[in-house]
């Protein structure tokens, strides 16, 4: 299932920090962050609950908000 989240990531360094946490719960090829979008959209292909994705991004020091 494809899910999207607004984030406050601003650069490649931010994405790298998020990757450290996110890659622990989903494969690296199952997610991406579009830094060119206004919402810095994180797209994840997973069956995990939204809360787990938000928790992983938050533990990296960033915000993530599900987009419905």
């Amino acid at each position: 299932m494809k899910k999207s989240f607004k984030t406050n990531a601003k650069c490649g360094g931010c994405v790298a920090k998020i990757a450290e946490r996110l890659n622990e719960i989903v494969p690296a090829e199952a997610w991406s962050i579009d830094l060119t979008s206004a919402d810095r959209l994180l797209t994840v292909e997973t069956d995990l609950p939204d809360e787990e994705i938000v928790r992983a991004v938050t533990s990296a020091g960033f915000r993530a908000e599900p987009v419905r």
Side-chain angles (χ1 to χ4, degrees), residues 12-63:
C14 299
V15 174
K17 286 183 181 180
I18 291 170
E20 290 176 17
R21 302 302 178 130
L22 213 45
N23 289 344
E24 293 174 359
I25 60 171
V26 293
E29 62 276 3
W31 67 270
S32 64
I33 297 179
D34 181 359
L35 294 176
T36 63
S37 70
D39 291 330
R40 309 291 200 258
L41 219 52
L42 163 63
T43 305
V44 185
E45 184 72 38
T46 185
D47 290 328
L48 292 172
D50 291 356
E51 296 76 29
E52 279 208 49
I53 304 300
V54 170
R55 194 175 308 119
V57 174
T58 302
S59 70
F62 299 90
R63 284 185 284 114

